[in-house]
PDB file of all heavy atoms in Angstrom:
ATOM      1  N   PHE X 283      32.258  -2.273  12.391  1.00  0.00           N
ATOM      2  CA  PHE X 283      32.365  -3.518  13.155  1.00  0.00           C
ATOM      3  C   PHE X 283      32.814  -4.644  12.222  1.00  0.00           C
ATOM      4  O   PHE X 283      32.267  -4.830  11.149  1.00  0.00           O
ATOM      5  CB  PHE X 283      30.997  -3.858  13.762  1.00  0.00           C
ATOM      6  CG  PHE X 283      30.953  -5.219  14.391  1.00  0.00           C
ATOM      7  CD1 PHE X 283      31.603  -5.461  15.595  1.00  0.00           C
ATOM      8  CD2 PHE X 283      30.269  -6.249  13.775  1.00  0.00           C
ATOM      9  CE1 PHE X 283      31.577  -6.727  16.167  1.00  0.00           C
ATOM     10  CE2 PHE X 283      30.239  -7.521  14.341  1.00  0.00           C
ATOM     11  CZ  PHE X 283      30.890  -7.744  15.541  1.00  0.00           C
ATOM     12  N   THR X 284      33.826  -5.398  12.647  1.00  0.00           N
ATOM     13  CA  THR X 284      34.311  -6.506  11.810  1.00  0.00           C
ATOM     14  C   THR X 284      34.274  -7.807  12.617  1.00  0.00           C
ATOM     15  O   THR X 284      33.939  -7.808  13.795  1.00  0.00           O
ATOM     16  CB  THR X 284      35.778  -6.284  11.346  1.00  0.00           C
ATOM     17  OG1 THR X 284      36.626  -6.459  12.493  1.00  0.00           O
ATOM     18  CG2 THR X 284      35.981  -4.920  10.736  1.00  0.00           C
ATOM     19  N   GLY X 285      34.667  -8.876  11.957  1.00  0.00           N
ATOM     20  CA  GLY X 285      34.778 -10.154  12.650  1.00  0.00           C
ATOM     21  C   GLY X 285      36.222 -10.423  13.047  1.00  0.00           C
ATOM     22  O   GLY X 285      36.618 -11.563  13.284  1.00  0.00           O
ATOM     23  N   GLY X 286      36.999  -9.346  13.144  1.00  0.00           N
ATOM     24  CA  GLY X 286      38.422  -9.490  13.451  1.00  0.00           C
ATOM     25  C   GLY X 286      38.696  -9.769  14.925  1.00  0.00           C
ATOM     26  O   GLY X 286      37.834  -9.558  15.777  1.00  0.00           O
ATOM     27  N   ARG X 287      39.897 -10.235  15.193  1.00  0.00           N
ATOM     28  CA  ARG X 287      40.327 -10.503  16.584  1.00  0.00           C
ATOM     29  C   ARG X 287      40.958  -9.243  17.176  1.00  0.00           C
ATOM     30  O   ARG X 287      41.218  -8.276  16.458  1.00  0.00           O
ATOM     31  CB  ARG X 287      41.331 -11.653  16.608  1.00  0.00           C
ATOM     32  CG  ARG X 287      40.890 -12.887  15.862  1.00  0.00           C
ATOM     33  CD  ARG X 287      39.859 -13.667  16.645  1.00  0.00           C
ATOM     34  NE  ARG X 287      39.341 -14.766  15.833  1.00  0.00           N
ATOM     35  CZ  ARG X 287      38.464 -15.652  16.268  1.00  0.00           C
ATOM     36  NH1 ARG X 287      37.973 -15.578  17.495  1.00  0.00           N
ATOM     37  NH2 ARG X 287      38.032 -16.609  15.474  1.00  0.00           N
ATOM     38  N   ASP X 288      41.261  -9.321  18.474  1.00  0.00           N
ATOM     39  CA  ASP X 288      41.770  -8.136  19.152  1.00  0.00           C
ATOM     40  C   ASP X 288      43.113  -7.658  18.634  1.00  0.00           C
ATOM     41  O   ASP X 288      43.366  -6.455  18.564  1.00  0.00           O
ATOM     42  CB  ASP X 288      41.879  -8.403  20.662  1.00  0.00           C
ATOM     43  CG  ASP X 288      40.486  -8.556  21.268  1.00  0.00           C
ATOM     44  OD1 ASP X 288      39.522  -8.133  20.584  1.00  0.00           O
ATOM     45  OD2 ASP X 288      40.354  -9.110  22.370  1.00  0.00           O
ATOM     46  N   THR X 289      43.989  -8.593  18.296  1.00  0.00           N
ATOM     47  CA  THR X 289      45.301  -8.181  17.792  1.00  0.00           C
ATOM     48  C   THR X 289      45.578  -8.876  16.461  1.00  0.00           C
ATOM     49  O   THR X 289      44.985  -9.915  16.166  1.00  0.00           O
ATOM     50  CB  THR X 289      46.426  -8.607  18.760  1.00  0.00           C
ATOM     51  OG1 THR X 289      46.409 -10.049  18.824  1.00  0.00           O
ATOM     52  CG2 THR X 289      46.233  -8.048  20.155  1.00  0.00           C
ATOM     53  N   ALA X 290      46.507  -8.279  15.676  1.00  0.00           N
ATOM     54  CA  ALA X 290      46.866  -8.863  14.376  1.00  0.00           C
ATOM     55  C   ALA X 290      47.449 -10.263  14.595  1.00  0.00           C
ATOM     56  O   ALA X 290      47.241 -11.179  13.796  1.00  0.00           O
ATOM     57  CB  ALA X 290      47.867  -7.967  13.666  1.00  0.00           C
ATOM     58  N   GLU X 291      48.158 -10.397  15.696  1.00  0.00           N
ATOM     59  CA  GLU X 291      48.776 -11.688  16.031  1.00  0.00           C
ATOM     60  C   GLU X 291      47.711 -12.791  16.175  1.00  0.00           C
ATOM     61  O   GLU X 291      47.791 -13.850  15.575  1.00  0.00           O
ATOM     62  CB  GLU X 291      49.482 -11.523  17.381  1.00  0.00           C
ATOM     63  CG  GLU X 291      50.422 -12.655  17.694  1.00  0.00           C
ATOM     64  CD  GLU X 291      51.824 -12.099  17.806  1.00  0.00           C
ATOM     65  OE1 GLU X 291      52.297 -11.485  16.834  1.00  0.00           O
ATOM     66  OE2 GLU X 291      52.391 -12.253  18.883  1.00  0.00           O
ATOM     67  N   GLU X 292      46.698 -12.461  16.976  1.00  0.00           N
ATOM     68  CA  GLU X 292      45.600 -13.417  17.202  1.00  0.00           C
ATOM     69  C   GLU X 292      44.871 -13.720  15.906  1.00  0.00           C
ATOM     70  O   GLU X 292      44.454 -14.837  15.652  1.00  0.00           O
ATOM     71  CB  GLU X 292      44.592 -12.793  18.184  1.00  0.00           C
ATOM     72  CG  GLU X 292      44.603 -13.426  19.557  1.00  0.00           C
ATOM     73  CD  GLU X 292      43.485 -12.825  20.412  1.00  0.00           C
ATOM     74  OE1 GLU X 292      42.311 -13.080  20.101  1.00  0.00           O
ATOM     75  OE2 GLU X 292      43.826 -12.087  21.353  1.00  0.00           O
ATOM     76  N   GLN X 293      44.715 -12.663  15.118  1.00  0.00           N
ATOM     77  CA  GLN X 293      44.003 -12.811  13.843  1.00  0.00           C
ATOM     78  C   GLN X 293      44.732 -13.833  12.960  1.00  0.00           C
ATOM     79  O   GLN X 293      44.103 -14.685  12.346  1.00  0.00           O
ATOM     80  CB  GLN X 293      43.952 -11.447  13.147  1.00  0.00           C
ATOM     81  CG  GLN X 293      43.339 -11.487  11.777  1.00  0.00           C
ATOM     82  CD  GLN X 293      41.924 -10.914  11.791  1.00  0.00           C
ATOM     83  OE1 GLN X 293      41.329 -10.716  12.850  1.00  0.00           O
ATOM     84  NE2 GLN X 293      41.395 -10.665  10.627  1.00  0.00           N
ATOM     85  N   LYS X 294      46.085 -13.720  12.938  1.00  0.00           N
ATOM     86  CA  LYS X 294      46.870 -14.640  12.105  1.00  0.00           C
ATOM     87  C   LYS X 294      46.719 -16.065  12.610  1.00  0.00           C
ATOM     88  O   LYS X 294      46.654 -17.017  11.842  1.00  0.00           O
ATOM     89  CB  LYS X 294      48.338 -14.221  12.100  1.00  0.00           C
ATOM     90  CG  LYS X 294      48.553 -13.026  11.208  1.00  0.00           C
ATOM     91  CD  LYS X 294      49.996 -12.889  10.754  1.00  0.00           C
ATOM     92  CE  LYS X 294      50.119 -11.706   9.819  1.00  0.00           C
ATOM     93  NZ  LYS X 294      50.968 -10.638  10.322  1.00  0.00           N
ATOM     94  N   LYS X 295      46.657 -16.182  13.932  1.00  0.00           N
ATOM     95  CA  LYS X 295      46.598 -17.519  14.525  1.00  0.00           C
ATOM     96  C   LYS X 295      45.203 -18.139  14.393  1.00  0.00           C
ATOM     97  O   LYS X 295      45.043 -19.266  13.943  1.00  0.00           O
ATOM     98  CB  LYS X 295      46.977 -17.416  16.020  1.00  0.00           C
ATOM     99  CG  LYS X 295      47.634 -18.685  16.538  1.00  0.00           C
ATOM    100  CD  LYS X 295      48.394 -18.458  17.821  1.00  0.00           C
ATOM    101  CE  LYS X 295      47.429 -18.360  18.994  1.00  0.00           C
ATOM    102  NZ  LYS X 295      47.993 -17.678  20.157  1.00  0.00           N
ATOM    103  N   LEU X 296      44.173 -17.365  14.769  1.00  0.00           N
ATOM    104  CA  LEU X 296      42.809 -17.927  14.838  1.00  0.00           C
ATOM    105  C   LEU X 296      41.982 -17.692  13.580  1.00  0.00           C
ATOM    106  O   LEU X 296      40.980 -18.369  13.349  1.00  0.00           O
ATOM    107  CB  LEU X 296      42.055 -17.316  16.034  1.00  0.00           C
ATOM    108  CG  LEU X 296      42.679 -17.512  17.405  1.00  0.00           C
ATOM    109  CD1 LEU X 296      41.969 -16.651  18.437  1.00  0.00           C
ATOM    110  CD2 LEU X 296      42.620 -18.978  17.799  1.00  0.00           C
ATOM    111  N   GLY X 297      42.387 -16.705  12.781  1.00  0.00           N
ATOM    112  CA  GLY X 297      41.583 -16.332  11.612  1.00  0.00           C
ATOM    113  C   GLY X 297      40.448 -15.409  12.006  1.00  0.00           C
ATOM    114  O   GLY X 297      40.066 -15.332  13.176  1.00  0.00           O
ATOM    115  N   GLY X 298      39.894 -14.690  11.023  1.00  0.00           N
ATOM    116  CA  GLY X 298      38.777 -13.769  11.284  1.00  0.00           C
ATOM    117  C   GLY X 298      37.436 -14.489  11.178  1.00  0.00           C
ATOM    118  O   GLY X 298      37.389 -15.688  10.897  1.00  0.00           O
ATOM    119  N   ARG X 299      36.357 -13.742  11.432  1.00  0.00           N
ATOM    120  CA  ARG X 299      35.005 -14.326  11.364  1.00  0.00           C
ATOM    121  C   ARG X 299      34.141 -13.550  10.361  1.00  0.00           C
ATOM    122  O   ARG X 299      33.351 -12.683  10.755  1.00  0.00           O
ATOM    123  CB  ARG X 299      34.364 -14.284  12.758  1.00  0.00           C
ATOM    124  CG  ARG X 299      34.982 -15.283  13.725  1.00  0.00           C
ATOM    125  CD  ARG X 299      34.772 -14.876  15.155  1.00  0.00           C
ATOM    126  NE  ARG X 299      35.418 -13.602  15.442  1.00  0.00           N
ATOM    127  CZ  ARG X 299      35.388 -12.990  16.636  1.00  0.00           C
ATOM    128  NH1 ARG X 299      34.723 -13.511  17.631  1.00  0.00           N
ATOM    129  NH2 ARG X 299      36.011 -11.836  16.810  1.00  0.00           N
ATOM    130  N   PRO X 300      34.296 -13.910   9.079  1.00  0.00           N
ATOM    131  CA  PRO X 300      33.545 -13.173   8.049  1.00  0.00           C
ATOM    132  C   PRO X 300      32.028 -13.278   8.236  1.00  0.00           C
ATOM    133  O   PRO X 300      31.301 -12.362   7.823  1.00  0.00           O
ATOM    134  CB  PRO X 300      33.981 -13.830   6.735  1.00  0.00           C
ATOM    135  CG  PRO X 300      34.612 -15.137   7.113  1.00  0.00           C
ATOM    136  CD  PRO X 300      35.160 -14.962   8.491  1.00  0.00           C
ATOM    137  N   GLU X 301      31.564 -14.359   8.880  1.00  0.00           N
ATOM    138  CA  GLU X 301      30.102 -14.541   9.048  1.00  0.00           C
ATOM    139  C   GLU X 301      29.478 -13.390   9.841  1.00  0.00           C
ATOM    140  O   GLU X 301      28.299 -13.104   9.678  1.00  0.00           O
ATOM    141  CB  GLU X 301      29.708 -15.817   9.797  1.00  0.00           C
ATOM    142  CG  GLU X 301      30.511 -17.091   9.703  1.00  0.00           C
ATOM    143  CD  GLU X 301      31.914 -16.993  10.227  1.00  0.00           C
ATOM    144  OE1 GLU X 301      32.151 -16.767  11.430  1.00  0.00           O
ATOM    145  OE2 GLU X 301      32.811 -17.167   9.383  1.00  0.00           O
ATOM    146  N   ILE X 302      30.253 -12.791  10.735  1.00  0.00           N
ATOM    147  CA  ILE X 302      29.655 -11.726  11.565  1.00  0.00           C
ATOM    148  C   ILE X 302      30.167 -10.328  11.190  1.00  0.00           C
ATOM    149  O   ILE X 302      29.875  -9.357  11.877  1.00  0.00           O
ATOM    150  CB  ILE X 302      29.923 -11.979  13.069  1.00  0.00           C
ATOM    151  CG1 ILE X 302      31.428 -11.971  13.364  1.00  0.00           C
ATOM    152  CG2 ILE X 302      29.279 -13.286  13.538  1.00  0.00           C
ATOM    153  CD1 ILE X 302      31.735 -11.805  14.855  1.00  0.00           C
ATOM    154  N   CYS X 303      30.912 -10.263  10.084  1.00  0.00           N
ATOM    155  CA  CYS X 303      31.637  -9.019   9.774  1.00  0.00           C
ATOM    156  C   CYS X 303      30.833  -8.128   8.837  1.00  0.00           C
ATOM    157  O   CYS X 303      30.401  -8.554   7.769  1.00  0.00           O
ATOM    158  CB  CYS X 303      32.961  -9.395   9.116  1.00  0.00           C
ATOM    159  SG  CYS X 303      33.893  -7.969   8.570  1.00  0.00           S
ATOM    160  N   VAL X 305      31.947  -5.581   7.184  1.00  0.00           N
ATOM    161  CA  VAL X 305      32.752  -5.285   5.989  1.00  0.00           C
ATOM    162  C   VAL X 305      32.570  -6.403   4.951  1.00  0.00           C
ATOM    163  O   VAL X 305      32.341  -6.142   3.763  1.00  0.00           O
ATOM    164  CB  VAL X 305      34.240  -5.100   6.367  1.00  0.00           C
ATOM    165  CG1 VAL X 305      35.119  -4.974   5.124  1.00  0.00           C
ATOM    166  CG2 VAL X 305      34.395  -3.869   7.257  1.00  0.00           C
ATOM    167  N   PHE X 306      32.612  -7.649   5.405  1.00  0.00           N
ATOM    168  CA  PHE X 306      32.396  -8.761   4.475  1.00  0.00           C
ATOM    169  C   PHE X 306      31.004  -8.672   3.826  1.00  0.00           C
ATOM    170  O   PHE X 306      30.836  -8.903   2.637  1.00  0.00           O
ATOM    171  CB  PHE X 306      32.568 -10.123   5.164  1.00  0.00           C
ATOM    172  CG  PHE X 306      32.350 -11.255   4.193  1.00  0.00           C
ATOM    173  CD1 PHE X 306      33.302 -11.547   3.232  1.00  0.00           C
ATOM    174  CD2 PHE X 306      31.165 -11.983   4.213  1.00  0.00           C
ATOM    175  CE1 PHE X 306      33.081 -12.552   2.283  1.00  0.00           C
ATOM    176  CE2 PHE X 306      30.938 -12.989   3.282  1.00  0.00           C
ATOM    177  CZ  PHE X 306      31.906 -13.273   2.318  1.00  0.00           C
ATOM    178  N   ILE X 323      37.947 -13.712  -0.606  1.00  0.00           N
ATOM    179  CA  ILE X 323      37.941 -12.801   0.550  1.00  0.00           C
ATOM    180  C   ILE X 323      37.549 -13.597   1.796  1.00  0.00           C
ATOM    181  O   ILE X 323      38.178 -13.505   2.847  1.00  0.00           O
ATOM    182  CB  ILE X 323      36.953 -11.623   0.334  1.00  0.00           C
ATOM    183  CG1 ILE X 323      37.409 -10.767  -0.831  1.00  0.00           C
ATOM    184  CG2 ILE X 323      36.818 -10.786   1.608  1.00  0.00           C
ATOM    185  CD1 ILE X 323      36.452  -9.628  -1.206  1.00  0.00           C
ATOM    186  N   PHE X 324      36.518 -14.419   1.640  1.00  0.00           N
ATOM    187  CA  PHE X 324      36.018 -15.220   2.760  1.00  0.00           C
ATOM    188  C   PHE X 324      37.121 -16.147   3.287  1.00  0.00           C
ATOM    189  O   PHE X 324      37.420 -16.170   4.488  1.00  0.00           O
ATOM    190  CB  PHE X 324      34.805 -16.049   2.304  1.00  0.00           C
ATOM    191  CG  PHE X 324      34.096 -16.744   3.422  1.00  0.00           C
ATOM    192  CD1 PHE X 324      33.037 -16.126   4.076  1.00  0.00           C
ATOM    193  CD2 PHE X 324      34.476 -18.027   3.831  1.00  0.00           C
ATOM    194  CE1 PHE X 324      32.365 -16.761   5.111  1.00  0.00           C
ATOM    195  CE2 PHE X 324      33.819 -18.664   4.868  1.00  0.00           C
ATOM    196  CZ  PHE X 324      32.758 -18.032   5.510  1.00  0.00           C
ATOM    197  N   SER X 325      37.755 -16.893   2.375  1.00  0.00           N
ATOM    198  CA  SER X 325      38.710 -17.881   2.887  1.00  0.00           C
ATOM    199  C   SER X 325      39.998 -17.232   3.388  1.00  0.00           C
ATOM    200  O   SER X 325      40.594 -17.709   4.350  1.00  0.00           O
ATOM    201  CB  SER X 325      38.959 -19.010   1.875  1.00  0.00           C
ATOM    202  OG  SER X 325      39.242 -18.466   0.640  1.00  0.00           O
ATOM    203  N   GLU X 326      40.399 -16.118   2.761  1.00  0.00           N
ATOM    204  CA  GLU X 326      41.592 -15.414   3.280  1.00  0.00           C
ATOM    205  C   GLU X 326      41.327 -14.901   4.699  1.00  0.00           C
ATOM    206  O   GLU X 326      42.202 -14.955   5.557  1.00  0.00           O
ATOM    207  CB  GLU X 326      41.933 -14.214   2.389  1.00  0.00           C
ATOM    208  CG  GLU X 326      42.606 -14.588   1.092  1.00  0.00           C
ATOM    209  CD  GLU X 326      42.727 -13.381   0.155  1.00  0.00           C
ATOM    210  OE1 GLU X 326      42.507 -12.220   0.602  1.00  0.00           O
ATOM    211  OE2 GLU X 326      43.021 -13.607  -1.023  1.00  0.00           O
ATOM    212  N   CYS X 327      40.107 -14.419   4.915  1.00  0.00           N
ATOM    213  CA  CYS X 327      39.756 -13.895   6.240  1.00  0.00           C
ATOM    214  C   CYS X 327      39.770 -15.039   7.254  1.00  0.00           C
ATOM    215  O   CYS X 327      40.403 -14.951   8.304  1.00  0.00           O
ATOM    216  CB  CYS X 327      38.383 -13.228   6.174  1.00  0.00           C
ATOM    217  SG  CYS X 327      37.752 -12.728   7.784  1.00  0.00           S
ATOM    218  N   ARG X 328      39.104 -16.121   6.900  1.00  0.00           N
ATOM    219  CA  ARG X 328      39.041 -17.297   7.774  1.00  0.00           C
ATOM    220  C   ARG X 328      40.426 -17.834   8.153  1.00  0.00           C
ATOM    221  O   ARG X 328      40.676 -18.240   9.277  1.00  0.00           O
ATOM    222  CB  ARG X 328      38.298 -18.419   7.040  1.00  0.00           C
ATOM    223  CG  ARG X 328      36.847 -18.533   7.371  1.00  0.00           C
ATOM    224  CD  ARG X 328      36.701 -19.184   8.743  1.00  0.00           C
ATOM    225  NE  ARG X 328      35.330 -19.223   9.182  1.00  0.00           N
ATOM    226  CZ  ARG X 328      34.426 -20.065   8.688  1.00  0.00           C
ATOM    227  NH1 ARG X 328      34.735 -20.924   7.754  1.00  0.00           N
ATOM    228  NH2 ARG X 328      33.200 -20.042   9.138  1.00  0.00           N
ATOM    229  N   SER X 329      41.320 -17.827   7.149  1.00  0.00           N
ATOM    230  CA  SER X 329      42.638 -18.429   7.390  1.00  0.00           C
ATOM    231  C   SER X 329      43.556 -17.484   8.159  1.00  0.00           C
ATOM    232  O   SER X 329      44.645 -17.881   8.577  1.00  0.00           O
ATOM    233  CB  SER X 329      43.285 -18.779   6.059  1.00  0.00           C
ATOM    234  OG  SER X 329      43.683 -17.579   5.430  1.00  0.00           O
ATOM    235  N   GLY X 330      43.150 -16.214   8.303  1.00  0.00           N
ATOM    236  CA  GLY X 330      44.001 -15.272   9.042  1.00  0.00           C
ATOM    237  C   GLY X 330      44.978 -14.528   8.162  1.00  0.00           C
ATOM    238  O   GLY X 330      45.753 -13.705   8.645  1.00  0.00           O
ATOM    239  N   SER X 331      44.956 -14.780   6.844  1.00  0.00           N
ATOM    240  CA  SER X 331      45.929 -14.084   5.994  1.00  0.00           C
ATOM    241  C   SER X 331      45.431 -12.698   5.578  1.00  0.00           C
ATOM    242  O   SER X 331      46.174 -11.907   5.016  1.00  0.00           O
ATOM    243  CB  SER X 331      46.267 -14.925   4.760  1.00  0.00           C
ATOM    244  OG  SER X 331      45.138 -15.058   3.940  1.00  0.00           O
ATOM    245  N   ARG X 332      44.179 -12.401   5.848  1.00  0.00           N
ATOM    246  CA  ARG X 332      43.623 -11.077   5.507  1.00  0.00           C
ATOM    247  C   ARG X 332      43.427 -10.280   6.804  1.00  0.00           C
ATOM    248  O   ARG X 332      42.755 -10.740   7.717  1.00  0.00           O
ATOM    249  CB  ARG X 332      42.292 -11.277   4.784  1.00  0.00           C
ATOM    250  CG  ARG X 332      41.549 -10.024   4.430  1.00  0.00           C
ATOM    251  CD  ARG X 332      40.319 -10.366   3.614  1.00  0.00           C
ATOM    252  NE  ARG X 332      40.633 -10.492   2.203  1.00  0.00           N
ATOM    253  CZ  ARG X 332      40.486  -9.507   1.311  1.00  0.00           C
ATOM    254  NH1 ARG X 332      39.996  -8.345   1.679  1.00  0.00           N
ATOM    255  NH2 ARG X 332      40.817  -9.675   0.052  1.00  0.00           N
ATOM    256  N   ILE X 333      44.011  -9.129   6.855  1.00  0.00           N
ATOM    257  CA  ILE X 333      43.949  -8.312   8.072  1.00  0.00           C
ATOM    258  C   ILE X 333      42.865  -7.239   7.899  1.00  0.00           C
ATOM    259  O   ILE X 333      42.704  -6.681   6.819  1.00  0.00           O
ATOM    260  CB  ILE X 333      45.339  -7.665   8.323  1.00  0.00           C
ATOM    261  CG1 ILE X 333      46.379  -8.772   8.591  1.00  0.00           C
ATOM    262  CG2 ILE X 333      45.326  -6.685   9.493  1.00  0.00           C
ATOM    263  CD1 ILE X 333      46.064  -9.692   9.752  1.00  0.00           C
ATOM    264  N   CYS X 334      42.134  -6.964   8.969  1.00  0.00           N
ATOM    265  CA  CYS X 334      40.975  -6.059   8.864  1.00  0.00           C
ATOM    266  C   CYS X 334      41.322  -4.702   8.253  1.00  0.00           C
ATOM    267  O   CYS X 334      40.571  -4.177   7.443  1.00  0.00           O
ATOM    268  CB  CYS X 334      40.324  -5.864  10.220  1.00  0.00           C
ATOM    269  SG  CYS X 334      39.517  -7.353  10.815  1.00  0.00           S
ATOM    270  N   GLY X 335      42.454  -4.146   8.651  1.00  0.00           N
ATOM    271  CA  GLY X 335      42.818  -2.817   8.142  1.00  0.00           C
ATOM    272  C   GLY X 335      42.896  -2.812   6.618  1.00  0.00           C
ATOM    273  O   GLY X 335      42.345  -1.923   5.953  1.00  0.00           O
ATOM    274  N   ASP X 336      43.549  -3.845   6.049  1.00  0.00           N
ATOM    275  CA  ASP X 336      43.688  -3.917   4.580  1.00  0.00           C
ATOM    276  C   ASP X 336      42.328  -4.140   3.930  1.00  0.00           C
ATOM    277  O   ASP X 336      42.020  -3.599   2.878  1.00  0.00           O
ATOM    278  CB  ASP X 336      44.597  -5.088   4.177  1.00  0.00           C
ATOM    279  CG  ASP X 336      45.996  -4.918   4.747  1.00  0.00           C
ATOM    280  OD1 ASP X 336      46.326  -3.775   5.150  1.00  0.00           O
ATOM    281  OD2 ASP X 336      46.741  -5.919   4.803  1.00  0.00           O
ATOM    282  N   CYS X 337      41.549  -4.982   4.577  1.00  0.00           N
ATOM    283  CA  CYS X 337      40.245  -5.337   4.032  1.00  0.00           C
ATOM    284  C   CYS X 337      39.336  -4.106   3.989  1.00  0.00           C
ATOM    285  O   CYS X 337      38.638  -3.858   3.006  1.00  0.00           O
ATOM    286  CB  CYS X 337      39.652  -6.426   4.917  1.00  0.00           C
ATOM    287  SG  CYS X 337      38.247  -7.260   4.196  1.00  0.00           S
ATOM    288  N   LYS X 338      39.392  -3.314   5.072  1.00  0.00           N
ATOM    289  CA  LYS X 338      38.601  -2.083   5.121  1.00  0.00           C
ATOM    290  C   LYS X 338      39.049  -1.112   4.032  1.00  0.00           C
ATOM    291  O   LYS X 338      38.226  -0.452   3.395  1.00  0.00           O
ATOM    292  CB  LYS X 338      38.765  -1.411   6.488  1.00  0.00           C
ATOM    293  CG  LYS X 338      37.946  -2.067   7.585  1.00  0.00           C
ATOM    294  CD  LYS X 338      38.225  -1.376   8.906  1.00  0.00           C
ATOM    295  CE  LYS X 338      37.261  -1.815   9.986  1.00  0.00           C
ATOM    296  NZ  LYS X 338      37.626  -1.257  11.302  1.00  0.00           N
TER     297      LYS X 338
END
Side-chain angles (χ1 to χ4, degrees):
F283 171 73
T284 72
R287 310 284 173 177
D288 292 343
T289 62
E291 194 118 303
E292 251 185 68
Q293 176 105 347
K294 284 202 178 116
K295 210 162 77 201
L296 301 170
R299 288 157 298 179
E301 328 63 64
I302 62 163
C303 176
V305 173
F306 180 73
I323 296 176
F324 189 91
S325 49
E326 284 171 12
C327 173
R328 263 284 175 74
S329 72
S331 66
R332 177 175 275 264
I333 296 303
C334 291
D336 299 343
C337 194
K338 282 177 170 174

